[in-house]
Structures are given as C-alpha cells and as structure tokens.
Amino acid sequence: MPPIVPQPLQPGDFYYTAEGYLVFTEQYHRRRGSCCQSSCRHCPWNFRAKAGSQGASGQK
C-alpha cells in the first residue's frame, strides 16, 4: 500500500458534530485516494470492521 500523504483541507472536506467531533466527508476520502480501514462514517469504499475487531469505532 502506498504511503498516505496528508491533503490540505478544502471546503466541504469535513464538518463538526453537535458533540464537537470533526468528521471527514466522502469528498475528502475520495481525494485522499485510499481506505484507512478505520470504519469511517463516510467511507466511499464501504469498509466495515469485522465483529470483534479492536480499534475501529465506526463513528469517524
């Protein structure tokens, strides 16, 4: 897998939840170009961690 290169944020790349969490949008993930396999909320690759796996919160 190629290294992940941080991308400068652009309008529409993220929003804040009512709780104050920063959430990346599908737009950002597509520009990023690969799945991080963290079960992100707006994952365009529809990655979902297997039941019982550790670390993935499913709420990113």
Side-chain angles (χ1 to χ4, degrees), residues 7-31:
Q7 299 290 317
L9 294 177
Q10 297 179 0
D13 279 351
F14 68 96
Y15 62 90
Y16 289 98
T17 65
E19 297 82 17
Y21 293 105
L22 182 138
V23 179
F24 290 113
T25 62
E26 180 178 344
Q27 170 185 301
Y28 177 77
H29 290 294
R30 287 198 182 277
R31 248 184 343 96

Side-chain angles (χ1 to χ4, degrees), residues 3 10 12 14 18 24 31 36-37 41-42 48-49 53 56:
Q10 297 179 0
F14 68 96
F24 290 113
R31 248 184 343 96
C36 63
Q37 299 184 356
R41 183 179 290 184
H42 299 290
R48 292 292 174 248
S53 65

